[in-house]
Amino acid sequence: MTSQPSPCAADVREAAADIASIPDIKDEDSAAEAMNTPLDRYPAQPRLVRLPERRWSLHTPAPHDAQPSVWPLSTAALALTLWLSERGYCARGRCAAPGCDRYFIDTGRRASQCYGSTRCATRVSVVAPPRNRSH
């Protein structure tokens, strides 16, 4: 007998899959539309919070009457939408290294980021064929 996942677990998997698909969307308008879906479904209730000896920062506390799955989903959706609205571009992606399924947030390098870590970038460059150095 196989146990069925709880409705809460199924909701989390579905929402996580929706959010996880956003980094694969290259067009910013389409990404914005995709980001609005989890924002509608899991609305965040952001608040400014000041932790000891820190600056004010935006936090999204879980509503008292919400399922535990709502907080991480609404926080993830809010973070992605804030990045797009503040930076004007979608600075997120999935690592391009073969076999790596990690995501990353591009934090402002001069060139677009393709890999989730320097380890992945190094691993890919080591197996890449050497460049033709003749002029």
Side-chain angles (χ1 to χ4, degrees):
M1 169 164 53
T2 59
S3 64
Q4 294 294 322
S6 69
C8 181
D11 287 345
V12 170
R13 276 196 299 282
E14 179 183 340
D18 289 345
I19 291 171
S21 70
I22 292 170
D24 296 328
I25 301 170
K26 302 302 179 204
D27 174 63
E28 290 177 12
D29 292 337
S30 298
E33 280 299 313
M35 289 179 205
N36 283 332
T37 299
L39 280 176
D40 289 340
R41 192 169 176 194
Y42 304 102
Q45 297 177 347
R47 306 207 32 92
L48 286 170
V49 175
R50 181 175 233 161
L51 300 174
E53 299 185 31
R54 307 243 1 235
R55 296 173 28 186
W56 286 99
S57 60
L58 193 62
H59 288 250
T60 55
H64 297 294
D65 60 344
Q67 292 181 347
S69 61
V70 171
W71 178 79
L73 298 170
S74 66
T75 300
L78 181 63
L80 287 171
T81 56
L82 282 172
W83 192 274
L84 175 61
S85 68
E86 290 176 359
R87 305 282 176 132
Y89 59 93
C90 297
R92 74 281 176 275
R94 188 186 307 248
C95 184
C100 183
D101 59 356
R102 292 184 180 183
Y103 295 91
F104 61 84
I105 298 292
D106 188 342
T107 57
R109 293 173 176 84
R110 290 183 182 159
S112 296
Q113 184 172 342
C114 297
Y115 304 103
S117 68
T118 53
R119 181 178 181 187
C120 284
T122 301
R123 186 168 38 98
V124 169
S125 68
V126 167
V127 298
R131 294 182 184 177
N132 183 357
R133 295 182 187 233
S134 63
H135 293 280

